[in-house]
């Protein structure tokens, strides 16, 4: 059996990331513990305490002359075990939002914004994520595709829309004449939440300045929003993606209106392939708008 002490730091880090990707929130003890035996011991101790006779009062012991205190030789200090790395301390949500807004507004290009996000430590999602996922592709095409938050594949590969969902998205884009490297792909949230859970409202507000600044710097003429979370984030309201998809709307980004249309996320299409017909209808609407407003 291999113990933790037999692994190198790099192997330990890889093992921890593997457990995090699998959704493990806590680990077992290194040595097995017999909980049944512990329970029996505790029960026997309680029963013994109930049946034991009360202690007898003993006569006070005769006073003895105090002995001089003996000094023990100091024991050599043993090296302490290395403490595990501490997570970045949390800061108040309002302060974190202000720090995120300042970092985003200070960036004058997408490369500067990427550096700012990678250096930002005000969101607890970063503590559990392996990678900071930033936009990939190019803003020169003036077309932007935005997803919700990184998946396990994204977090592992360090790029948005990786894995099977990313491969399906590539085929969807190719069907309307677009390539991954000719547009800009990104996510609303730059860090994968543990266990693929939904981001909390404070986490969303902390990340909001970064995605808004990405859109402002990229200056797209058309935006494709993928997934329920993404559509609600920009359109507002509580409707599902089936009520929000297929309709062109204007989203306000730092004082600038940007036309956007929502559709189903590729991961949803992998789960329910019957919805591909709805997605294809949205892609055709996106293609027609690009042909009329950008290419034409």
């Amino acid at each position: 059996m291999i113990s933790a002490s037999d692994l190198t730091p790099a192997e330990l880090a890889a093992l921890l990331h593997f457990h995090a990707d699998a959704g493990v929130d806590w680990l077992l003890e290194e040595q097995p513990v017999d909980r049944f035996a512990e329970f029996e011991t505790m029960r026997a101790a309680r029963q013994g305490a109930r049946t034991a006779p009360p202690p007898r009062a003993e006569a006070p012991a005769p006073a003895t002359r105090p002995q001089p205190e003996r000094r023990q030789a100091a024991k050599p200090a043993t090296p302490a075990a290395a403490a595990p790395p501490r997570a970045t301390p949390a800061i108040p949500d309002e302060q974190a939002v202000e720090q995120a807004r300042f970092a985003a507004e200070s960036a004058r290009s997408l490369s500067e914004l990427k550096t700012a996000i990678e250096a930002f430590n005000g969101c607890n999602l970063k503590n559990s994520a392996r990678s900071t996922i930033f936009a990939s592709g190019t803003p020169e095409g003036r077309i932007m595709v935005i997803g919700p938050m990184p998946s396990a594949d994204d977090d592992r590969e360090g790029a948005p829309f990786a894995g099977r969902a990313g491969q399906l998205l590539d085929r969807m884009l190719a069907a309307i004449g677009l390539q991954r490297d000719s547009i800009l792909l990104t996510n609303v949230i730059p860090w994968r939440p543990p266990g693929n859970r939904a981001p909390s409202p404070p986490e969303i507000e902390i990340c909001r300045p970064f995605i808004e600044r990405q859109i402002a710097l990229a200056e797209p003429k058309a935006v494709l929003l993928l997934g329920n979370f993404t559509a609600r984030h920009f359109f507002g309201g509580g409707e599902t993606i089936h009520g929000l998809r297929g309709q062109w709307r204007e989203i306000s980004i730092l004082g600038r209106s940007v036309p956007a249309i929502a559709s189903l996320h590729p991961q949803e299409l992998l789960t329910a392939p019957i919805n591909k017909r709805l997605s294809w209808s949205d892609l055709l609407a996106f293609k027609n708008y690009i042909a009329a407003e950008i290419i034409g």
Side-chain angles (χ1 to χ4, degrees), residues 158-174:
F161 295 101
R164 292 183 60 206
Q167 294 172 2
L168 177 56
L169 178 62
D170 290 341
R171 295 195 295 270
M172 292 164 59
L173 294 175

Side-chain angles (χ1 to χ4, degrees), residues 144-150 161 186-189 199 204 208 211 215 223-237 239-241 244-245 249 251 253 260-266 268:
M144 202 167 184
V145 177
I146 305 176
M149 69 283 298
F161 295 101
T186 190
N187 287 312
V188 175
I189 308 296
I204 295 172
R208 184 183 297 274
I211 184 59
I215 299 174
V223 176
L224 177 61
L225 307 175
L226 297 178
N228 191 66
F229 174 85
T230 313
R232 286 182 177 179
H233 182 82
F234 288 101
F235 292 162
E239 292 187 74
T240 66
I241 186 60
L244 297 172
R245 53 157 289 274
R249 306 188 186 191
I251 58 176
I253 303 296
I261 188 172
S263 187
L264 287 83
H265 193 280
E268 300 174 60

